[in-house]
Amino acid sequence: MMIDTVWLKDFGRRRALEEAEARLSIALQPIVDAASGKPIAAEALMRGFADMGFASPNALLDHAFSLDQLLDLDLLLLGKALAIHARVPAAERPLLFVNLDGRNLPHWRAISDFLRTGCELGGLHPFDICIELSEAHQPLPLDELERAVDTFRRIGFQIALDDFGNGTSGLQMLYQTSPDFLKIDRFFIGSMPDDPKKRRLVSTIVDLAHTLGSRVIAEGIETPEELACCREVGCDLIQGFLIGRPSTDPATVSTDLSPRIEALALSAPHPEDQVMSRLLEEVAVLSCEDSLRDLFDLAAANPAQTVFPVIDRRGIPVGAVRERDFKALLHSRYGRDLACNTSLRLRVMDYARPIATVECAMPLAPRLELIAERAGDGVVVTSGLRYRGFLSSTSLLRLSNAIRLRQAAAQNPLTHLPGNDAIRGFLERCVAEPGSPRLAAYLDIDNFKPFNDKYGFEVGDRALMMLATILKSLERDHGLFVGHIGGDDFFIGAEGNASAQAQQILSTIGARFRHVAESLYDEADRAAGFMSGRARDGSPRQFPLMSCTVAMLRIGAADRPQGTLDITARLTATKADARRRGLPVAIADLMAGDR
């Protein structure tokens, strides 16, 4: 693409900015609650760069930087973003995410003044704006970055860390900025459905962000499978072409996308939500616009309360104020006078700090340990990102115990793999939610009973644990569902693109298990390749060393089983056929019959 040489030539002069003013525009892309599809925010994105001869917004920004005009260009774009956002009715106005080029951060004082003035002129509140910072082009020392972020926050702006994972200093910036939002780079999102390692990594990032009190936004969602993965790992917000394309019409950012989300991927509420609801505590809540005097009055009216959640005008938590952080001032000789002095403009947000949060629509159990470690001050509970209630550390402990009891009841006590309830849930999805290829597999250990009779149940349990360890690695590395039916019977499930891969992997399980299980036999049995024992009728018999028989049932995307019994009956028949024919692996199709 040829760059407009006239524009390049005049970039450093007033004419260049006038031309940029005329050619550049702002489009808004919706950001919605991952669980409900309710509009929460919108990101302001540059448009018109192609008319100026640039292949991407970054190319334009880079050129502006080379000519020492980047700050002027950034302020121009910020002004346009504020102007289009001001056109959204106040009652429907979502949070506006604006990008700030890191190379302009040395000018953070001028930028903060510009944004504050722009909000005043446009009838906006600083809490309507979230400033996106990125690892890219971040020239400030981290202590200076922290001062800049503190200034933005004191004014009322929220902070997002953009493109997390796409640079080398992400964890440092996460620590220094304590962002309200963490945006995960498209690099991780795009291949999550086919890459279990990325799913696990994103899940870990989500856990970390929630522990630090940040909400997670998954960027670049383009397929229902990506959406399902993001919801599964606990992302709070989603953004991408699947949800909505950028539009210059500000009315589109307040569109309720709940029907679209429900049609794409919406799971049932998690059972721990009911337990959590019973434990929620009603506590006094502050607004981010409250003054320090409001805080003192609320503390006096609620003397037993030590943590005060703070929410913005949308009801979204933005932190919490701890009594220990303002107690000295409250009880000082002139503390209340200072709080009442309007010229000092002391506000609640000057004392607010992040607090661990839990979204009730997402499974709590996988993150319980992480949250518990940092929940000495309690946990804020949200529904659709909006404040729902508060869990004190005592209530969180009760919830933790309740979930552990539920998990213990649902897991096999030996292998700690999901039990029959979870297996039944997988089979029910196969029946109720067609449209994705699936694989269901039944696996049991060959010659386990005579081995257990000869070597004893303790060694038999070691054999079961060996197989469970192999199967858990499939869950970790390939995203398969693994369950323990009981005894030496196991279940493996796969969905989507993982189904074809699972078929190949499961064909090798028997050999892998036999190799590791040989160590459980004594030297004589290993050398012979079999062990002597007694058959079910009591007669002496030689039994081969333990291996596995695997029966697999392929369910096509268009196939709909008649019920869970239809699936289990086919699996049982397929396994019996494999045993009869002496096959380690048997594969059947739901409609086409055994192969």
Side-chain angles (χ1 to χ4, degrees), residues 306-551:
T306 59
V307 179
F308 296 84
V310 184
I311 61 175
D312 67 13
R313 64 177 179 80
R314 302 168 190 81
I316 299 176
V318 293
V321 178
R322 283 78 166 171
E323 182 191 33
R324 61 178 177 269
D325 292 335
F326 68 88
K327 187 175 181 179
L329 180 61
L330 173 63
H331 296 292
S332 67
R333 182 175 180 181
Y334 300 108
R336 185 164 291 276
D337 292 336
L338 291 172
C340 295
N341 189 332
T342 56
S343 64
L344 295 178
R345 296 182 180 180
L346 296 175
R347 302 177 308 122
V348 159
M349 290 306 294
D350 294 328
Y351 292 86
R353 293 187 290 109
I355 189 169
T357 55
V358 174
E359 173 61 39
C360 63
M362 299 298 178
L364 175 61
R367 288 180 288 277
L368 195 58
E369 294 300 328
L370 277 173
I371 292 173
E373 290 176 2
R374 297 177 61 90
D377 295 325
V379 171
V380 167
V381 179
T382 59
S383 178
L385 261 72
R386 290 174 171 82
Y387 180 82
R388 178 173 170 180
F390 182 76
L391 286 173
S392 66
S393 56
T394 301
S395 295
L396 186 65
L397 180 60
R398 292 174 183 167
L399 177 62
S400 172
N401 290 335
I403 291 177
R404 287 194 179 97
L405 288 173
R406 187 186 297 274
Q407 286 179 318
Q411 289 179 346
N412 182 279
L414 174 65
T415 62
H416 299 296
L417 287 172
N420 290 330
D421 287 346
I423 295 171
R424 191 178 301 111
F426 179 89
L427 296 176
E428 287 173 351
R429 288 201 304 277
C430 293
V431 175
E433 302 174 12
S436 175
R438 290 185 172 93
L439 182 94
Y442 179 27
L443 182 152
D444 71 351
I445 301 177
D446 301 325
N447 306 309
F448 176 75
K449 185 180 183 306
F451 172 84
N452 200 51
D453 290 342
K454 178 176 180 179
Y455 287 96
F457 70 89
E458 289 190 9
V459 182
D461 285 350
R462 289 174 61 188
L464 295 176
M465 288 299 297
M466 283 180 170
L467 180 56
T469 300
I470 293 173
L471 297 181
K472 286 177 182 178
S473 71
L474 302 184
E475 180 182 38
R476 181 193 66 225
D477 298 335
H478 305 286
L480 306 186
F481 167 76
V482 177
H484 190 168
I485 299 170
D488 63 330
D489 297 325
F490 293 82
F491 180 88
I492 300 95
E495 301 183 69
N497 296 332
S499 298
Q501 186 182 30
Q503 180 179 323
Q504 298 176 348
I505 295 169
L506 291 177
S507 299
T508 68
I509 290 297
R512 288 178 62 185
F513 174 68
R514 175 174 177 141
H515 176 71
V516 298
E518 283 185 3
S519 63
L520 299 176
Y521 291 87
D522 61 30
E523 186 176 348
D525 286 345
R526 285 200 302 272
F530 61 85
M531 58 163 277
S532 298
R534 292 191 176 274
R536 293 182 183 274
D537 61 3
S539 60
R541 182 180 166 187
Q542 292 179 340
F543 295 94
L545 303 186
M546 288 184 294
S547 183
C548 295
T549 294
V550 181

Side-chain angles (χ1 to χ4, degrees), residues 95 108 151 155 164 187 237 244 268 303 351 368 370 381 408 413 425 432-433 485 592 595:
L95 182 65
W108 55 267
T151 298
I155 295 172
F164 188 78
F187 168 79
L237 299 169
Y351 292 86
L368 195 58
L370 277 173
V381 179
E433 302 174 12
I485 299 170
R595 297 194 172 188

